[in-house]
Amino acid sequence: MAVSGPRMALAALAALGAAAVFTAPANAAHYGNGIYVSPDAHIAEDGTIHLFGSYHCTAPSPSGAVQIKATVHQKDVRLSIGGGDARCDGAEHDWAAHGTLRFTPGVHAGEALAKAELQEIRFGGGLLPRSVDTVAEDTHPVTVFDHRDR
């Protein structure tokens, strides 16, 4: 069975495009980034939960910024809190994230799952982000200590 010249060219072009997509690294900015969440979380007397850890990252794209996001998950309760902007200079830095339990009172002392993420946010010229990519993450069990007087 003979294949016409235009069909052969189109098939070759499609194969080259697929090869380029599947062999290129997902995002070179992801390399050299890491984040760690401490195995202890604390609920302060005022009902604020505190998570801590460390991170390192390389410079984001010129149109982006890197921020820290932390999440605590206990049974059916999930609380996400921001940890602020990351300083991406390749060095190790400490981070802390603090969030109120006022609207998420189900978080309590005991075992939980914590997740820390470095998220690269790229802007496309306006105020709204064009894309948000997780460039590093750490998820593992933590112990939540409650320091509130009951």
Side-chain angles (χ1 to χ4, degrees):
M1 176 173 147
V3 178
S4 68
R7 281 190 174 190
M8 179 66 90
L10 187 57
L13 185 59
L16 285 173
V21 168
F22 293 113
T23 60
N27 185 343
H30 294 201
Y31 298 12
N33 300 314
I35 190 163
Y36 169 75
V37 61
S38 172
D40 298 338
H42 297 272
I43 301 173
E45 290 181 14
D46 66 356
T48 302
I49 189 163
H50 302 274
L51 290 155
F52 306 92
S54 60
Y55 71 92
H56 62 275
C57 54
T58 57
S61 66
S63 63
V66 177
Q67 294 185 335
I68 299 164
K69 175 185 169 189
T71 304
V72 177
H73 185 112
Q74 264 184 336
K75 298 193 183 200
D76 295 333
V77 178
R78 182 181 306 242
L79 175 65
S80 291
I81 51 180
D85 293 332
R87 188 169 66 207
C88 292
D89 57 7
E92 190 83 13
H93 299 283
D94 293 331
W95 64 267
H98 317 285
T100 181
L101 297 180
R102 184 178 317 140
F103 302 111
T104 315
V107 178
H108 54 82
E111 294 301 310
L113 189 65
K115 181 177 188 176
E117 298 175 80
L118 282 176
Q119 295 184 326
E120 185 174 4
I121 302 166
R122 290 190 198 91
F123 297 94
L127 295 176
L128 297 176
R130 183 182 65 191
S131 66
V132 177
D133 292 321
T134 299
V135 296
E137 68 179 53
D138 180 30
T139 304
H140 63 263
V142 298
T143 302
V144 177
F145 296 95
D146 195 339
H147 302 285
R148 296 177 284 189
D149 292 331
R150 300 241 172 205

